[in-house]
Each structure stands twice: as C-alpha cells, then as structure tokens.
Amino acid sequence: MEELKEQLSAFLSDRLYQIIISNPRKKEGAFKIKIRPVMVKGALRFQETISKGTQVFHENHEREEMLLKILSYMETDFKQLEGESMDARLNVLVSKKGKVMVKRRENSKSAVMKAPDMSHNRSKKYILEEGKTVPFLVDLGIQTKEGRTVHAKYDKYRQINRYLEFVEDILPALCVETSGEISTEKKIHIIDFGCGKSYLTFALYYYLHELKGLDICITGLDLKGDVIAKCSELAVKYGYEDLHFYQGDISTFEGGEQVDMVITLHACDTATDYALKKAVDWQAKVIFTVPCCQHEVNKQIESPVLEPILKYGLLKERIAALLTDGIRANLLEEAGYDTQVLEFIDMEHTPKNILIRAVKRAGEAKNVKKDTQIENLTEALHIETTLQKLLGTDLC
C-alpha cells in the first residue's frame, strides 16, 4: 500500500477533480464512494459521498483523515479506485490475493484543464440558462416563450447543455485566450457531418456566436433533402448568417479547405470513418464523433477464444461496436490527437452512447507512429476497419 499512499498524497489537493472507489468485495455495505475537494469556511476539505443502496451519505474530512480512510477502503472493502486531477489520472486495482496495482498517467501538456469546482453545496448551472429565452429551444418545445423549461422536456434541455459542456472544455484549442478572455484570430470553420435535425448544430452556433461572440462558420451536411431544407429555413429565421446546410454524402464531400472542428454525431457505420479521415487530412484542431450502427467488425470478427460469447448475437454486436470505437480512438492517437472516450446521451431515445473527443496535439505532425498493439489485436480477431484502410498509408 506504500505506493498507493504516495500517489494519493499527491492527488489529495485542490487540483483534484474526483476519486471514485468502486467494486466492493462484499455485497453488504457501500457499493461506491466518491471524493472531491470542497472549501468549507475557507479551509480545504474533502467531501466523501457514500452510496448504499438507494441512500447517499455525505461527510467532510481533513486531508490526512481522508487519506487514511481511502487506504483502509482499498485494504479491506474495495477492489478498484479511479482518480482524476488537473495533472494526471490514477487507476488502482486490488487482486483477490490483495496485490495492489497502481497506474498513473500524466495528462498531456497540451491538454486544457479547468480548475475544480470546490463549492460546498453547488447547484447545477447550465450553459443555456434557465429563464433566458432561446429561439430554437422554443421551436423545439423545450422552452416556453417566457424562457421557462418545459418539465416534460427537461431531459432534452440537460442533454443539449451537456453537449455544450463538452464543447466548452475544448474552446482553448479552437481559440486564442488572453487574460482569461476567449477570442479568435480568424474565422473558425466547423463541419457537422450527418447533422440530421440539427438540434445540437443550432445549439453550437448559438453558444459560440451568440454567447461567446466568436467569429464562426458552421456547415451542416446530411443525405436527407427535406431535413436540410427545414434546417436552412430555420437558420434564416434565427438570423444565423454563417450557419449553412447542404445535402450530400460524407465520403464524397469536397467542400473543406481549412476546417478547425469536425463533428459527426450518429453517422452510420463506416460513414464515421470517412468523416474521421477527412478530419485528419484537414488537420482539424478538434474532432467530436458519436458513432452508431457499427456493422463492419460484426461481420468479420472471428475468435475461438471468444466464441462462447460471440455465439450470442446481441453480445457479439456490442463487442464489435466497442472494438470499432476503441480502434478509432487509438488511430486518432496515432494521428497526433489527445483522445478521450466519454459517455454521451443521445437526443432521440436517450440511450447512453460513446463520444470520442480528440484534440490535436500542438506542434505535432499528422503521422506520428503506428501502434503495433492495434495491429496485433486486429490480426488476432481477423478484422480490419475502414478507418485502418483509409489511414493505413498515412501511418506507416
């Protein structure tokens, strides 16, 4: 436990985002514990949130007391710990025999990290403030004309704000920050592939242009002509002069020269791969992708070792989708991006999906290295994804 004690001593500071302790060894008792820094009467404390069944308990502790409690939890009660701070990520696993495995991963120097929110009784503050009328939210039926959030649409309201929080995190990668103020040296070009009904496209334009005052141009592309016509009509109605929609296919799109951000939310199957290829070729500073309908690997995957699981169609489908997204994330890392895999809530049916968020590493060439681990994985499972083929020659 000495190595864990040393790492936790560094993590327990005002730079900590959170520590999550999970995977209990016993069925009774707490099943999860969350720890975050808080300021109580001007002093740094650590708030411990203990989840037991449907009950949640909160306690505040001084640093040394919190450190001892965490070590005790990992020694006797739990098998897993995950920590995240402004400096690094910490992963801890405890084996059945009590062996402690500690892995620390430093955050990239180019990653933009916000200071933790250490308010004691913090209330949720949304980017699109409640009580402030937003035209497209009214048309969606999410707000009343007076700016009140419709109770039945509150989930959608939260989903849109969550998306904008993901965007807010990467703003410094798109813009210039001077004395805490975000600005642009030149117009920011954003392409939204497979924009669909464009709820989030309108939210993005409103946030960046109307709220942040940034000079931006957003292009939405989709195959459905009637959807594009409707979105174009709404853009004119709202006076969004630099928001344009076009009908077209991602794989054959040729409209981009200098593109700063590429978004692809729910582009089906390999359409996501073509969008990612274009983003890498453009050297886009930021990439957001929420893949769906990954059929390609499902048709290819073969593994005698995994056959007891793959014989069940539903499980095979999910494993194939996770493999596809994992490969995509790694390929973006190879291409010079700091990549995260995050949980994202879909707008239509509210399942939890995967969002791959990639930010270009400053001053790094497009083609960095070829990951032999991914090669070994795909060879072992007899698979090859479209993105591997599209980027294959680039990453050799």
Side-chain angles (χ1 to χ4, degrees), residues 214-279:
L214 299 178
D215 187 11
I216 64 167
C217 176
I218 300 181
T219 299
L221 186 78
D222 200 271
L223 288 171
K224 299 176 182 177
D226 57 336
V227 171
I228 290 299
K230 179 63 176 176
C231 291
S232 297
E233 179 184 320
L234 290 175
V236 172
K237 175 182 176 181
Y238 303 144
Y240 294 171
E241 295 179 357
D242 279 318
L243 175 57
H244 308 286
F245 295 94
Y246 302 99
Q247 184 179 5
D249 186 89
I250 294 172
S251 63
T252 58
F253 179 76
E254 299 291 345
E257 293 180 3
Q258 177 253 321
V259 178
D260 299 292
M261 181 175 183
V262 172
I263 302 167
T264 169
L265 307 180
H266 308 112
C268 288
D269 202 15
T270 58
T272 294
D273 300 309
Y274 286 101
L276 293 179
K277 166 63 172 171
K278 290 183 182 297

Side-chain angles (χ1 to χ4, degrees), residues 38-248:
V38 295
M39 295 300 293
V40 181
K41 296 182 179 179
L44 177 64
R45 296 289 185 266
F46 294 89
Q47 185 177 84
E48 177 186 33
T49 302
I50 304 172
S51 300
K52 294 182 178 181
T54 58
Q55 295 179 303
V56 177
F57 304 91
H58 300 282
E59 291 184 26
N60 295 328
H61 304 284
E62 293 185 355
R63 182 179 176 279
E64 290 304 315
E65 182 184 9
M66 192 73 261
L67 175 61
L68 293 176
K69 288 200 74 172
I70 296 173
L71 291 172
S72 175
Y73 286 141
M74 298 311 295
E75 192 168 7
T76 60
D77 301 316
F78 291 88
K79 300 178 185 177
Q80 187 170 351
L81 178 150
E82 294 177 312
E84 183 180 6
S85 75
M86 294 178 69
D87 306 303
R89 292 176 180 270
L90 186 67
N91 287 283
V92 180
L93 293 174
V94 182
S95 70
K96 291 182 179 179
K97 295 183 179 180
K99 182 179 178 181
V100 182
M101 292 164 283
V102 181
K103 185 177 180 181
R104 177 186 170 109
R105 182 180 179 184
E106 300 295 329
N107 292 332
S108 168
K109 292 181 179 179
S110 63
V112 180
M113 311 302 292
K114 295 191 300 183
D117 179 0
M118 292 190 289
S119 53
H120 185 218
N121 295 312
R122 56 186 181 186
S123 58
K124 182 65 178 177
K125 182 179 180 182
Y126 292 107
I127 290 176
L128 301 183
E129 298 177 19
E130 294 190 72
K132 184 176 180 179
T133 304
V134 181
F136 75 90
L137 290 182
V138 175
D139 283 348
L140 284 174
I142 294 173
Q143 276 188 343
T144 66
K145 292 180 180 179
E146 294 74 33
R148 292 193 300 271
T149 304
V150 177
H151 181 72
K153 296 294 182 71
Y154 205 82
D155 282 345
K156 276 195 174 182
Y157 171 73
R158 289 192 301 108
Q159 290 156 10
I160 291 172
N161 276 282
R162 182 62 178 142
Y163 173 69
L164 295 180
E165 287 172 5
F166 286 134
V167 175
E168 185 178 50
D169 290 343
I170 55 82
L171 268 188
L174 284 176
C175 309
V176 177
E177 187 169 2
T178 307
S179 301
E181 292 294 323
I182 295 290
S183 62
T184 53
E185 292 181 332
K186 55 184 179 180
K187 188 183 290 287
I188 296 172
H189 289 262
I190 300 171
I191 291 183
D192 189 346
F193 284 126
C195 58
K197 295 178 181 178
S198 302
Y199 301 153
L200 298 179
T201 317
F202 283 106
L204 181 64
Y205 189 93
Y206 178 84
Y207 170 62
L208 293 178
H209 185 68
E210 303 294 320
L211 296 187
K212 290 294 182 180
L214 299 178
D215 187 11
I216 64 167
C217 176
I218 300 181
T219 299
L221 186 78
D222 200 271
L223 288 171
K224 299 176 182 177
D226 57 336
V227 171
I228 290 299
K230 179 63 176 176
C231 291
S232 297
E233 179 184 320
L234 290 175
V236 172
K237 175 182 176 181
Y238 303 144
Y240 294 171
E241 295 179 357
D242 279 318
L243 175 57
H244 308 286
F245 295 94
Y246 302 99
Q247 184 179 5

Side-chain angles (χ1 to χ4, degrees), residues 222-395:
D222 200 271
L223 288 171
K224 299 176 182 177
D226 57 336
V227 171
I228 290 299
K230 179 63 176 176
C231 291
S232 297
E233 179 184 320
L234 290 175
V236 172
K237 175 182 176 181
Y238 303 144
Y240 294 171
E241 295 179 357
D242 279 318
L243 175 57
H244 308 286
F245 295 94
Y246 302 99
Q247 184 179 5
D249 186 89
I250 294 172
S251 63
T252 58
F253 179 76
E254 299 291 345
E257 293 180 3
Q258 177 253 321
V259 178
D260 299 292
M261 181 175 183
V262 172
I263 302 167
T264 169
L265 307 180
H266 308 112
C268 288
D269 202 15
T270 58
T272 294
D273 300 309
Y274 286 101
L276 293 179
K277 166 63 172 171
K278 290 183 182 297
V280 171
D281 286 346
W282 287 325
Q283 293 288 274
K285 296 175 184 176
V286 177
I287 302 170
F288 275 23
T289 181
V290 179
C292 74
C293 308
Q294 296 103 313
H295 301 306
E296 186 176 40
V297 167
N298 196 341
K299 296 173 184 176
Q300 300 176 39
I301 186 170
E302 293 179 12
S303 171
V305 175
L306 293 177
E307 185 54 33
I309 297 173
L310 297 179
K311 69 180 181 180
Y312 300 107
L314 177 61
L315 297 180
K316 181 181 179 183
E317 180 183 347
R318 292 186 180 179
I319 289 172
L322 292 172
L323 283 169
T324 304
D325 290 336
I327 291 168
R328 285 166 172 159
N330 276 273
L331 289 174
L332 289 173
E333 289 276 359
E334 292 179 25
Y337 288 83
D338 287 320
T339 306
Q340 296 172 288
V341 178
L342 307 165
E343 192 173 73
F344 180 71
I345 301 176
D346 181 43
M347 290 296 298
E348 295 296 331
H349 309 293
T350 66
K352 292 177 180 177
N353 290 326
I354 283 176
L355 165 68
I356 300 174
R357 183 174 68 183
V359 177
K360 194 78 176 71
R361 289 192 285 269
E364 197 163 287
K366 178 178 73 172
N367 308 321
V368 182
K369 61 182 180 178
K370 195 172 181 67
D371 190 344
T372 55
Q373 288 184 320
I374 292 299
E375 272 194 339
N376 294 340
L377 171 69
T378 54
E379 286 178 10
L381 298 177
H382 305 283
I383 59 178
E384 185 179 22
T385 67
T386 294
L387 189 58
Q388 282 177 287
K389 296 172 188 175
L390 292 172
L391 294 178
T393 55
D394 294 342
L395 297 173

